[in-house]
Short mmCIF file of all heavy atoms in Angstrom, two decimals:
data_model
loop_
_atom_site.label_atom_id
_atom_site.label_comp_id
_atom_site.label_asym_id
_atom_site.label_seq_id
_atom_site.Cartn_x
_atom_site.Cartn_y
_atom_site.Cartn_z
N TYR A 67 1.31 -5.83 -24.59
CA TYR A 67 1.62 -7.16 -25.10
C TYR A 67 1.78 -7.13 -26.62
O TYR A 67 2.73 -7.70 -27.18
CB TYR A 67 0.52 -8.14 -24.71
CG TYR A 67 0.78 -9.57 -25.13
CD1 TYR A 67 1.54 -10.42 -24.35
CD2 TYR A 67 0.26 -10.06 -26.34
CE1 TYR A 67 1.79 -11.73 -24.74
CE2 TYR A 67 0.50 -11.37 -26.74
CZ TYR A 67 1.27 -12.20 -25.93
OH TYR A 67 1.51 -13.49 -26.32
N GLU A 117 -6.69 -5.45 -7.62
CA GLU A 117 -5.94 -6.25 -8.59
C GLU A 117 -4.75 -6.96 -7.93
O GLU A 117 -4.44 -8.11 -8.26
CB GLU A 117 -5.45 -5.37 -9.73
CG GLU A 117 -4.70 -6.12 -10.81
CD GLU A 117 -4.26 -5.22 -11.95
OE1 GLU A 117 -4.71 -4.05 -12.01
OE2 GLU A 117 -3.46 -5.68 -12.79
N LEU A 141 10.50 -13.16 24.65
CA LEU A 141 10.01 -13.88 25.83
C LEU A 141 10.98 -14.99 26.25
O LEU A 141 11.15 -15.26 27.44
CB LEU A 141 8.63 -14.48 25.55
CG LEU A 141 7.47 -13.50 25.43
CD1 LEU A 141 6.21 -14.23 24.97
CD2 LEU A 141 7.21 -12.79 26.76
N LEU A 149 19.56 -6.90 21.71
CA LEU A 149 20.22 -7.23 20.45
C LEU A 149 19.59 -6.50 19.28
O LEU A 149 20.29 -5.97 18.42
CB LEU A 149 20.15 -8.75 20.22
CG LEU A 149 20.76 -9.28 18.91
CD1 LEU A 149 22.26 -9.03 18.90
CD2 LEU A 149 20.45 -10.76 18.74
N GLU A 165 10.10 5.86 35.92
CA GLU A 165 9.62 7.21 36.23
C GLU A 165 8.12 7.37 36.00
O GLU A 165 7.57 8.46 36.19
CB GLU A 165 10.39 8.22 35.38
CG GLU A 165 11.88 8.29 35.74
CD GLU A 165 12.64 9.25 34.85
OE1 GLU A 165 12.01 9.85 33.95
OE2 GLU A 165 13.86 9.41 35.05
N SER A 180 9.46 16.74 16.37
CA SER A 180 9.13 15.32 16.33
C SER A 180 8.33 14.98 15.08
O SER A 180 8.61 13.97 14.40
CB SER A 180 8.31 14.94 17.58
OG SER A 180 9.08 15.08 18.75
N ILE A 182 8.13 16.48 12.10
CA ILE A 182 8.89 16.53 10.85
C ILE A 182 9.90 15.37 10.77
O ILE A 182 9.99 14.66 9.77
CB ILE A 182 9.62 17.88 10.71
CG1 ILE A 182 8.60 19.00 10.57
CG2 ILE A 182 10.57 17.86 9.51
CD1 ILE A 182 9.19 20.39 10.63
N GLY A 192 9.12 3.53 4.37
CA GLY A 192 8.13 3.04 3.42
C GLY A 192 8.69 2.94 2.01
O GLY A 192 8.42 1.97 1.29
N GLY A 203 11.73 -8.87 -4.86
CA GLY A 203 10.95 -8.95 -3.63
C GLY A 203 11.77 -9.33 -2.41
O GLY A 203 11.31 -9.20 -1.28
N ASN A 272 8.52 -5.50 -20.10
CA ASN A 272 7.19 -4.87 -20.17
C ASN A 272 6.36 -5.20 -18.94
O ASN A 272 5.59 -4.37 -18.46
CB ASN A 272 6.47 -5.31 -21.44
CG ASN A 272 6.85 -4.48 -22.64
OD1 ASN A 272 6.62 -3.28 -22.68
ND2 ASN A 272 7.48 -5.10 -23.62
N ASN A 280 1.78 0.47 -11.79
CA ASN A 280 0.62 0.20 -10.94
C ASN A 280 0.96 0.21 -9.45
O ASN A 280 0.26 0.82 -8.64
CB ASN A 280 0.01 -1.15 -11.32
CG ASN A 280 -0.64 -1.12 -12.70
OD1 ASN A 280 -0.97 -0.05 -13.22
ND2 ASN A 280 -0.83 -2.28 -13.29
N ILE A 293 1.79 10.54 6.83
CA ILE A 293 1.88 11.92 7.30
C ILE A 293 0.94 12.15 8.49
O ILE A 293 1.32 12.79 9.48
CB ILE A 293 1.56 12.89 6.15
CG1 ILE A 293 2.67 12.82 5.10
CG2 ILE A 293 1.40 14.32 6.66
CD1 ILE A 293 2.36 13.56 3.81
N LEU A 298 0.17 12.59 14.50
CA LEU A 298 -0.32 12.02 15.76
C LEU A 298 0.83 11.70 16.70
O LEU A 298 0.75 11.95 17.91
CB LEU A 298 -1.14 10.76 15.49
CG LEU A 298 -2.48 10.97 14.78
CD1 LEU A 298 -3.09 9.62 14.38
CD2 LEU A 298 -3.45 11.74 15.67
N ILE A 311 -8.88 7.26 29.06
CA ILE A 311 -8.74 6.01 28.30
C ILE A 311 -9.64 5.99 27.07
O ILE A 311 -9.22 5.57 26.00
CB ILE A 311 -9.06 4.81 29.21
CG1 ILE A 311 -7.99 4.68 30.30
CG2 ILE A 311 -9.12 3.52 28.39
CD1 ILE A 311 -8.25 3.55 31.29
N LEU A 322 -7.50 3.14 12.92
CA LEU A 322 -7.41 1.78 12.38
C LEU A 322 -8.59 1.49 11.46
O LEU A 322 -8.42 0.87 10.40
CB LEU A 322 -7.39 0.77 13.53
CG LEU A 322 -7.26 -0.71 13.13
CD1 LEU A 322 -5.97 -0.94 12.35
CD2 LEU A 322 -7.32 -1.61 14.36
N THR A 340 -17.87 -1.16 -10.56
CA THR A 340 -17.45 -1.08 -11.95
C THR A 340 -17.93 -2.27 -12.77
O THR A 340 -17.93 -2.21 -14.00
CB THR A 340 -15.91 -1.01 -12.05
OG1 THR A 340 -15.34 -2.20 -11.46
CG2 THR A 340 -15.37 0.20 -11.35
#
Side-chain angles (χ1 to χ4, degrees):
Y67 183 85
E117 182 178 349
L141 290 172
L149 178 65
E165 294 177 359
S180 294
I182 294 172
N272 276 297
N280 291 340
I293 292 170
L298 292 171
I311 293 177
L322 182 60
T340 60

